Amino acid sequence: VSSLCDSELDHYSGVPLYRQLAAVVRGQIERGEFAPGQRIPAERDYIQQYGLSRDTVYRAMLVLRREGLIATNRGGSRVRVPARPQMMRWLGSGEVIARMPTEPERQKYRIDEGVPLLIIQRRGRGDEIYPADRVRLRIGINGLAYESRKFLN
Amino acid sequence: VSSLCDSELDHYSGVPLYRQLAAVVRGQIERGEFAPGQRIPAERDYIQQYGLSRDTVYRAMLVLRREGLIATNRGGSRVRVPARPQMMRWLGSGEVIARMPTEPERQKYRIDEGVPLLIIQRRGRGDEIYPADRVRLRIGINGLAYESRKFLN
DNA sequence: ACGTATTTGTACGTATGTATC
DNA sequence: AGATACATACGTACAAATACG
């Protein structure tokens, strides 16, 4: 039995519909069902396929955008290309923190949505700020490792 | 001349109203007009003060939440306490990247909204994942610095 | 190259649920 | 327990950027 609107979504599970939809599409992306750079279905498609309101679908896409999984403009959404190991960088000493950019920073530095900042603070130098999707820090050659316990996972 | 609804917001500037409101509140937070941990006005207050719809105000708060500036629950929004220099960590060699957690990760690790992940990859160890608001990496003692050119700003 | 259709962005409204205060 | 405040989700409309024929 097939219906035009066979929502796999559970309206009574307590899990918000937009999160359920986000989970579905996130899974498809993570499993590689949409290649990086490829367009994903339009909001309209999801609206029809799952019988949802635009609001709900829009918010699902918002979630994925904020996770850095898709990039959206008025033409549609595409799976973000990883752009992971673009450039490397060495440094001797300093402190590294990460945080999300504010909107002004995002526009000023032309950073995509869902991309954190990597900030290196070194004495007497002022912060060095990097968009985390374009930078991967390679640290040290000598294998001095204090505290290797995992904090999470 | 004062009016109950003297929106300082410009409906014709081309800048979306929710971004304008977000900018106003962001500025107040950054200038310290709301102390960390302190509640900010309710959506209803902004609705009345600026003559906006709930939707618009909600989206403005969404922006600030995603920037990690406020934390919201069904009781209201509070300015997030920095929690910046909580714990430190040294490491010898490896690679450091940052990215936003997916929603499942966020729930699994109990990470606040708008907080990126700091991930350390070391050969043969599996990734170490840290919530960026609780960790600050201190790197190296020796001052070997290759490439000190700033990437941004 | 241009005009048109598509697609998302913004913003309003309404209603109900639910956690917090 | 009641009031408050946010979360979700439906609806509508128009604007603006993109994509496409």
Side-chain angles (χ1 to χ4, degrees), chain A residues 148-150, chain B residues 118-120 122 125-130:
Chain A
S148 65
R149 182 178 67 81
K150 289 181 185 178
Chain B
L118 260 178
I119 302 174
I120 303 177
R122 321 177 67 170
R125 289 209 206 194
D127 294 357
E128 298 173 34
I129 302 179
Y130 305 88

Side-chain angles (χ1 to χ4, degrees), chain A residues 16-19 39 53-56 59 73-75 78:
Chain A
L17 295 174
Y18 76 93
R19 286 181 194 271
R39 285 187 56 166
S53 71
R54 170 115 192 265
D55 177 68
T56 302
R59 290 176 63 175
N73 63 19
R74 280 168 148 107
R78 295 174 181 279

